[in-house]
Amino acid sequence: MTTITQLLGIRYPIFQGAMAQISRYPLAAAVSNAGGLGIIASGDMTAAELQAEIRACKALTDQPFAVNLMLMAPNIPELIEVIVAENVKVVTTGAGTPKKYMPQLKSAGIKVIPVVPSAALAKKMEALEVDAVVAEGSEAGGHIGELSTMVLVPQVAAAVNIPVIAAGGIANGKGMAAAFALGAEGIQMGTAFLLAEECPIPLNVKEFVAAAGELDTVVTGRNGVAPVRSIKNKMIEQYQQWEKENMPFEELEKLTLGSAKKAAAGDIEQGSVMAGQVSGAIHEIKPAKKIIDDVLAEAKQTIKQLQVEV
């Protein structure tokens, strides 16, 4: 048991990443039932859609789960109203600062956990009196920062006095043990849960992720404002070529418009299959509970066997 498990009322310090178009109630409920923290990704949802997701999740689990808020969304106030009304007790945030929403969230007794790419931002979040932070390294899938997990996590852990959850490049027990060694009190996994049986994406997408090798993810958008890590496919190759040709941002944006939805619907060539570098190390589709149990077993074994003289 760690501080974060006590804080959130969960059995294991394992968060399921909030993956756009993918982290819906079937996956969130399965992870929470297995002892982790399932997270519903609210990006692109209306208030009514989020309410339906939360209620469907509650129908499948009586364990704590969270809702992720992408703070650039224009309807955040409406989504927070739903979260408060539905008595969701944990919120993770990204793509902005939760500063103006903190009074409402805290008055409702909601634990707030932002995702951060730097120690400087983690300190700012701590000053807002958030409850913990997820330090996500650039190995992660989707939108990423500059620092790797190995570099980021210990600096964040040294900078703040609140629990730190390590994310980016973690999909097994060795990664969990390493995260503890770096100063984290828990881990967040996204890519690993793409291969969960309960993950609501088509089988061909899961097989595409499972077949990926260690060098099959690339980062696009480094010339713009939002670098994204995805698995290489026809659309990504076209994007890379256009980037080399200094194609205007507007044209690049047209190429990727709706690409996350396409991938979630099964288009593995023109969709953006956002996945982390660790996709090269996971190859088996299995229940969320088995994913968590395997991670925990390997972490315990690794910690027990790790005897290094320095």
Side-chain angles (χ1 to χ4, degrees):
M1 182 172 289
T2 67
T3 301
I4 199 67
T5 59
Q6 292 177 311
L7 179 71
L8 303 182
I10 57 179
R11 278 178 285 164
Y12 308 124
I14 297 176
F15 288 20
Q16 163 244 312
M19 297 171 283
Q21 310 296 329
I22 294 170
S23 296
R24 300 298 196 238
Y25 75 88
L27 178 59
V31 171
S32 289
N33 282 332
L37 182 72
I39 301 177
I40 295 170
S42 70
D44 291 333
M45 286 188 190
T46 64
E49 288 170 338
L50 178 58
Q51 183 183 61
E53 283 283 323
I54 291 171
R55 292 182 177 181
C57 196
K58 286 181 177 179
L60 294 179
T61 184
D62 60 358
Q63 299 301 307
F65 62 90
V67 170
N68 174 262
L69 293 173
M70 294 299 286
L71 296 170
M72 66 173 67
N75 63 338
I76 292 298
E78 291 84 0
L79 297 182
I80 290 178
E81 287 182 9
V82 169
I83 290 167
V84 172
E86 294 297 326
N87 200 33
V88 176
K89 289 304 182 184
V90 186
V91 162
T92 63
T93 70
T97 173
K99 182 176 181 178
K100 68 179 180 178
Y101 306 113
M102 286 299 293
Q104 182 182 5
L105 292 168
K106 299 306 286 185
S107 66
I110 295 172
K111 303 293 189 295
V112 182
I113 306 176
V115 178
V116 299
S118 69
L121 186 55
K123 290 173 72 173
K124 290 181 179 179
M125 293 300 102
E126 184 178 36
L128 297 179
E129 298 185 352
V130 303
D131 297 277
V133 292
V134 176
E136 184 177 72
S138 59
E139 298 95 324
H143 295 281
I144 60 170
E146 287 296 322
L147 299 177
S148 71
T149 303
M150 186 77 166
V151 173
L152 175 65
V153 173
Q155 292 189 69
V156 172
V160 299
N161 295 307
I162 52 178
V164 175
I165 308 302
I170 302 171
N172 54 37
K174 287 184 173 64
M176 186 177 198
F180 288 147
L182 294 175
E185 294 190 26
I187 61 170
Q188 177 170 288
M189 302 189 300
T191 304
F193 286 117
L194 286 174
L195 299 191
E197 289 181 357
E198 301 88 349
C199 184
I201 55 176
L203 179 60
N204 73 311
V205 182
K206 295 179 185 181
E207 291 174 339
F208 186 62
V209 175
E214 60 183 328
L215 299 177
D216 283 344
T217 68
V218 294
V219 178
T220 55
R222 287 200 185 277
N223 296 335
V225 294
V228 176
R229 184 180 299 282
S230 306
I231 299 177
K232 284 185 259 185
N233 60 13
K234 289 181 180 178
M235 187 274 288
I236 295 296
E237 289 172 356
Q238 180 67 72
Y239 193 106
Q240 289 182 300
Q241 182 60 40
W242 283 5
E243 278 191 311
K244 290 178 182 177
E245 296 171 1
N246 294 314
M247 187 74 70
F249 175 74
E250 293 76 16
E251 293 300 316
L252 292 170
E253 194 171 34
K254 287 179 185 177
L255 181 64
T256 60
L257 189 64
S259 60
K261 288 184 179 180
K262 289 179 184 177
D267 188 343
I268 57 173
E269 290 300 340
Q270 297 303 322
S272 179
V273 184
M274 299 180 190
Q277 289 179 320
V278 78
S279 57
I282 56 172
H283 307 292
E284 182 183 354
I285 298 169
K286 50 190 175 182
K289 185 179 187 303
K290 184 73 163 65
I291 292 173
I292 289 176
D293 288 347
D294 287 351
V295 167
L296 291 169
E298 186 179 51
K300 291 175 182 177
Q301 183 181 33
T302 300
I303 293 168
K304 183 178 180 180
Q305 293 180 343
L306 189 60
Q307 296 180 1
V308 181
E309 291 185 10
V310 294

